[in-house]
Each structure stands twice: as C-alpha cells, then as structure tokens.
C-alpha cells in the first residue's frame, strides 16, 4: 500500500560537476539561457552533484555525456593552435627574453 504522506522535496546543489560543466559551456561559447541542450547539461550536472546513490549517478552521467556531445557538435569551432604553434610561441618568448 502506498503511503499518503507527500515525499519531501529533494534539495539540489550545484557542486563540482555543475561548475566544470558551466566552465566548459563558457569555453565553448554556448549560453545555457539560449541553448536547450546546454541548459539540459547544466541540470544534469546539478542532478549528479545532488545524487544520493551510485546507480543514479551512473545513469545521469551517461545522459550528461550525451548532452555535452550535442552541445560540442553545435558549438562554433575555436581557432586553436597545435603543438607546433605552441612550441614556436615558447621559442619566440625565450628569444625575446634573451635579447
């Protein structure tokens, strides 16, 4: 028989996963206020931070991973140099210090 008592509201907390997800979204230049997949990712991250058992963490983590794949696919590509560019920049900085 089901209990007629209302279940207490679970308090959601934004922890480390929420912070990391928010940081990645910012790095990708995706605004959760205007992108449903990004907003979903943040909510899922909050659910992970608030989860009480490992089984729900695993399930929500899979969903977060999928949501972030969608977000990454929609984000504009960033102009980032490769390792050669990074090494050339370091060499130039050393040369400037030595001069």
């Amino acid at each position: 028989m089901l209990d007629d008592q209302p279940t207490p509201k679970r308090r959601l907390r934004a922890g480390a996963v929420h912070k990391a997800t928010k940081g990645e979204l910012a790095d990708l230049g995706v605004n959760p206020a205007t992108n449903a997949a990004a907003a979903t990712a943040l909510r899922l991250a909050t659910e992970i931070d608030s989860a009480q058992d490992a089984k729900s963490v695993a399930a929500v983590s899979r969903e977060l991973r999928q949501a972030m794949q969608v977000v990454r696919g929609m984000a504009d590509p960033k102009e980032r140099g490769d390792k050669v560019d990074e090494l050339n920049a370091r060499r130039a900085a050393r040369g400037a210090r030595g001069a």
Side-chain angles (χ1 to χ4, degrees):
M1 180 172 190
L2 293 176
D3 208 354
D4 288 339
Q5 298 292 342
T7 57
K9 291 253 183 194
R10 187 169 55 103
R11 181 170 284 216
L12 296 176
R13 66 179 194 87
V17 178
H18 177 89
K19 183 178 178 182
T21 303
K22 191 173 183 178
E24 184 174 349
L25 292 173
D27 186 51
L28 291 169
V30 178
N31 184 352
T34 59
N35 185 300
T40 300
L42 277 181
R43 174 58 190 236
L44 290 168
T46 304
E47 289 289 338
I48 292 169
D49 286 334
S50 304
Q52 299 294 319
D53 62 288
K55 195 173 187 179
S56 53
V57 169
V60 178
S61 294
R62 280 190 301 275
E63 294 299 321
L64 176 58
R65 190 171 36 251
Q66 290 176 341
M68 288 304 294
Q69 283 180 329
V70 170
V71 171
R72 289 181 197 111
M74 294 184 325
D76 292 330
K78 291 185 115 180
E79 289 288 327
R80 290 191 177 166
D82 58 9
K83 283 289 186 186
V84 174
D85 292 335
E86 183 181 325
L87 291 171
N88 286 333
R90 287 183 189 173
R91 183 179 298 136
R94 280 194 308 266
R97 279 183 279 171

